[in-house]
CSV table of all heavy atoms in Angstrom, one decimal:
chain,number,residue,atom,x,y,z
A,63,GLY,N,-6.5,10.8,6.4
A,63,GLY,CA,-7.9,10.3,6.5
A,63,GLY,C,-8.5,10.1,5.1
A,63,GLY,O,-9.5,9.3,5.0
A,65,CYS,N,-7.2,8.8,2.5
A,65,CYS,CA,-6.5,7.7,1.8
A,65,CYS,C,-7.1,6.4,2.3
A,65,CYS,O,-7.0,6.1,3.5
A,65,CYS,CB,-5.0,7.7,2.0
A,65,CYS,SG,-4.1,6.5,1.0
A,80,PRO,N,-0.2,-5.7,11.8
A,80,PRO,CA,0.4,-6.8,10.9
A,80,PRO,C,-0.7,-7.3,9.9
A,80,PRO,O,-1.8,-7.5,10.3
A,80,PRO,CB,0.8,-7.8,11.9
A,80,PRO,CG,0.8,-7.2,13.2
A,80,PRO,CD,-0.2,-6.1,13.2
A,95,LEU,N,-8.7,9.7,-2.3
A,95,LEU,CA,-9.9,10.5,-2.8
A,95,LEU,C,-9.7,11.9,-2.4
A,95,LEU,O,-9.4,12.2,-1.2
A,95,LEU,CB,-11.2,9.9,-2.1
A,95,LEU,CG,-11.6,8.5,-2.5
A,95,LEU,CD1,-12.8,8.1,-1.7
A,95,LEU,CD2,-11.8,8.4,-4.0
Side-chain angles (χ1 to χ4, degrees):
C65 186
L95 296 176

